[in-house]
Amino acid sequence: MTLHEFVQQCINGLSLGSTYALLALGLAMLFSIMGLINFAHGELLTIGGYVMWTLLHHDVSWALVVPATLLATTLAAVAMERIAFRPLRGASIETLLVTSFALAFFIQTVLQIGVSAEPEPIAHTGWSDRGYSVGPYTIGLIQIITTAVTFAVLVALVVFLRRTLLGVSIRAAAEDFAVVRLMGIPAGRVVVAAFALSGLLAGIASLLFFASAGSVSPTSGTAPVVAAFIAVVLGGLGNLAGAVVGGYVLGFADQILAAVHSSTILQFHDAVVLAILIGLLLLRPQGLVGRSRGLA
Amino acid sequence: MPVRNDLGARTGPRVLLEVRGLTARYGPVVAVRDVDLRVGEGEIVALLGANGAGKTTTLMSIVGLHRARTGTIELDGHEIGHLPPERVVRRGVGLAPEGRRIFAGLTVAENLRLGAAGAGRARDDGRRERLLELFPALRERLRLPAASLSGGEQQQLAIARALMSGPRLLLLDEPTLGLAPKLVRLVFDLIARLRDEEGVTILLVEQNVHQALRSCDRAYLMRVGGIEAEGTPEELRRDRRVQAAYLGVPE
């Protein structure tokens, strides 16, 4: 692979990296606050995809699809907290983890029975294939949009976490949940807010992901959530900046490996990605960015 | 037998906190056994005793963070024992917990901001300004991460944060632990000023018995989960068990 091809594949990986980064942010936030690794987070992506499919199928305009998708994933995340995780508040990390798997399988099964196990097509937007030439490189409109949206979301998230009382409470809860309650702040509200925020981020990821993915199936969220989890570990568990860096590194790695076009490597694509992860963690066990800096 | 357990017969200040028959457990282990204690409005009361005597568990039970317990806890005549910590705080109780537990990754200003979150309607009445006059070291460091403060400054932040909600009752858990002697005096000066100038009632957990007896109006001595002695500093200084265990006087 030449340098030119390498850079081009990194540009192509921007979209995927953004999806991973947005999902990883939600995962990292919930983990740092309540020790939950929410594998059902991928199902939020899937739910967003089905909302898009339903609405676009009925020729609803994008101006409505965007808010409806964001609302659906946010509400779904809040419902997850209320139904599955609130009764387990204070449970061990293993219990929470197993619960999140159960929840993921439950949602997948409901979608398989209620809709179909087969992928449903999501109409390509007219603009998602458009591309521009910058010197020797081609950059797609979808890459520009996803990257711009992701960075705008990051800035908004940092402002929220630094400027608002709820945001500061979420950061504090990531450090010491009990003491946040000693500040007179209801624990439940902070947790619900964190779930809602993770749902909103998953909704944004959903819009960006399915605008170019072309179809949605009950298991659409599985591979991305595993990737996002790897991104969180790679960046440093519970560190938001790390989650974003991890997401992009993984997005680039995925794209570059897929472009190598050697069938032998392609066959071992996941093994190669995971081997790179293990290698990086051996070099930097604290993750690329590190664990200690906390949220934002 | 307690030195004195008939506080009720004494004409004193109005009772702000009344704990009766408090028993608290960690699984099968009883950490606090049948504790009765009272704190009058405007008093500084010390809860003394060695490590593991149940002092911290008593405070954690009062604020509602330790749930495995029985007995009644009344604030100003109203039962608060069933309330979650956030509601106890909103009723006017502040706790500066053991080990300070400031939010290290947040700035000093953000720590104070969270402290005011429990103030409810009485929020932002210039309280932060008044507290920064009491704790001038914090004013210069408002924008710095709390982790960058020295131990003494972190303790001041923990106390200031607990005061931001304007509590009637301030619970201080080992506020001088790990501080240099000069800072220990500073913290006790602050405690006295908080009562005298701000009218805050204080229940103080201390291992530093000498210093605590100099500063408090009354004290309870805890031993293996129960109250062993209670009284004014003079009464406790005369108590043989206190002398033997804490004041270095042979029995």
Side-chain angles (χ1 to χ4, degrees):
Chain A
M1 179 177 276
T2 63
L3 179 67
H4 171 259
E5 282 169 337
F6 179 83
V7 173
Q8 182 63 53
Q9 290 310 328
C10 283
I11 292 172
N12 296 349
L14 280 172
S15 248
L16 201 56
S18 299
T19 307
Y20 293 165
L22 288 168
L23 286 179
L25 273 176
L27 279 183
M29 196 161 52
L30 291 185
F31 176 77
S32 54
I33 292 174
M34 49 187 296
L36 164 68
I37 298 165
N38 184 16
F39 272 96
H41 197 64
E43 275 50 52
L44 295 173
L45 188 82
T46 312
I47 289 169
Y50 276 99
V51 172
M52 288 169 72
W53 165 68
T54 311
L55 295 178
L56 290 171
H57 193 66
H58 290 93
D59 293 324
V60 175
S61 85
W62 276 92
L64 268 175
V65 170
V66 171
T69 305
L70 297 180
L71 186 67
T73 55
T74 305
L75 291 179
V78 170
M80 276 184 186
E81 192 275 331
R82 184 73 195 81
I83 297 165
F85 295 113
R86 191 175 301 181
L88 296 172
R89 186 88 44 90
S92 71
I93 190 164
E94 295 86 358
T95 308
L96 292 171
L97 185 64
V98 171
T99 306
S100 81
F101 275 119
L103 188 60
F105 289 131
F106 172 77
I107 294 170
Q108 288 175 19
T109 310
V110 166
L111 288 170
Q112 276 166 12
I113 296 169
V115 187
S116 160
E118 298 302 313
E120 304 290 350
I122 289 181
H124 260 268
T125 55
W127 44 263
S128 63
D129 295 331
R130 222 175 291 163
Y132 301 94
S133 293
V134 183
Y137 304 109
T138 311
I139 182 161
L141 185 58
I142 190 86
Q143 270 98 34
I144 296 173
I145 289 176
T146 49
T147 310
V149 168
T150 305
F151 278 92
V153 166
L154 281 179
V155 170
L157 184 65
V158 169
V159 169
F160 169 78
L161 288 174
R162 286 187 176 276
R163 296 261 180 262
T164 67
L165 182 63
L166 190 57
V168 177
S169 306
I170 288 177
R171 283 164 56 213
E175 280 193 37
D176 194 332
F177 200 92
V179 177
V180 169
R181 305 184 73 188
L182 281 182
M183 303 293 105
I185 298 165
R189 207 180 294 169
V190 175
V191 172
V192 170
F195 265 92
L197 204 52
S198 83
L200 183 66
L201 292 169
I204 296 166
S206 220
L207 288 164
L208 300 175
F209 183 73
F210 289 109
S212 57
S215 68
V216 59
S217 78
T219 54
S220 284
T222 308
V225 80
V226 171
F229 172 64
I230 294 171
V232 170
V233 175
L234 191 60
L237 217 51
N239 177 318
L240 293 195
V244 174
V245 171
Y248 277 108
V249 167
L250 210 64
F252 295 153
D254 253 15
Q255 195 70 39
I256 289 163
L257 282 172
V260 170
H261 281 311
S262 148
S263 54
T264 351
I265 288 197
L266 217 51
Q267 218 177 328
F268 296 107
H269 174 261
D270 289 346
V272 173
V273 171
L274 290 172
I276 293 173
L277 171 76
I278 291 168
L280 281 172
L281 288 179
L282 282 173
L283 289 173
R284 277 188 69 83
Q286 71 277 40
L288 291 177
V289 179
R291 224 173 259 194
S292 54
R293 286 205 212 156
L295 296 178
Chain B
M1 202 185 86
V3 170
R4 182 184 185 115
N5 60 4
D6 60 342
L7 176 69
R10 190 196 310 186
T11 51
R14 197 162 65 100
V15 174
L16 183 59
L17 175 76
E18 171 136 37
V19 175
R20 276 192 299 260
L22 177 71
T23 296
R25 297 162 197 279
Y26 291 95
V29 180
V30 178
V32 171
R33 194 187 301 273
D34 201 23
V35 160
D36 292 344
L37 65 88
R38 283 181 179 194
V39 181
E41 199 157 33
E43 272 191 312
I44 298 176
V45 174
L47 201 52
L48 309 173
N51 264 333
K55 308 182 301 291
T56 293
T57 306
T58 303
L59 290 196
M60 290 308 220
S61 299
I62 292 170
V63 292
L65 271 178
H66 187 84
R67 309 297 296 177
R69 50 161 181 72
T70 52
T72 62
I73 300 165
E74 286 181 4
L75 183 73
D76 214 5
H78 299 284
E79 173 69 36
I80 57 166
H82 59 289
L83 297 176
E86 48 267 32
R87 301 265 307 274
V88 173
V89 170
R90 283 169 183 265
R91 291 281 181 96
V93 179
L95 169 66
E98 189 180 17
R100 299 154 199 159
R101 290 172 77 169
I102 53 164
F103 301 113
L106 272 54
T107 64
V108 170
E110 285 171 335
N111 270 275
L112 294 175
R113 186 179 181 191
L114 287 178
R121 271 160 288 165
R123 200 174 292 176
D124 203 16
D125 50 350
R127 174 162 280 277
R128 194 179 92 161
E129 263 318 294
R130 286 214 311 283
L131 286 172
L132 289 177
E133 280 162 25
L134 276 173
F135 303 87
L138 298 180
R139 190 193 292 281
E140 298 154 27
R141 291 162 178 76
L142 279 174
R143 294 184 164 279
L144 296 180
S148 71
L149 300 184
S150 70
E153 289 161 357
Q154 290 190 10
Q155 187 58 61
Q156 293 180 44
L157 176 58
I159 297 173
R161 185 181 65 178
L163 287 168
M164 281 296 288
S165 62
R168 286 181 288 171
L169 174 66
L170 177 65
L171 310 175
L172 296 173
D173 197 348
E174 304 272 14
T176 63
L177 194 68
L179 297 186
K182 194 178 143 200
L183 290 171
V184 171
R185 281 194 297 278
L186 175 79
V187 169
F188 276 104
D189 283 349
L190 269 171
I191 291 170
R193 285 184 67 187
L194 286 174
R195 192 264 304 269
D196 298 341
E197 295 171 22
E198 304 284 318
V200 183
T201 304
I202 292 165
L203 177 59
L204 166 77
V205 161
E206 247 318 321
Q207 284 192 44
N208 189 336
V209 172
H210 275 286
Q211 186 67 52
L213 287 181
R214 267 204 292 275
S215 309
C216 69
D217 301 312
R218 282 188 311 113
Y220 293 86
L221 179 68
M222 283 190 84
R223 191 160 171 274
V224 287
I227 301 281
E228 190 177 56
E230 185 240 310
T232 61
E234 303 80 64
E235 288 167 331
L236 285 176
R237 280 197 198 96
R238 285 198 299 271
D239 187 89
R240 284 223 183 88
R241 288 160 303 184
V242 178
Q243 288 176 351
Y246 298 101
L247 301 177
V249 181
E251 217 162 338

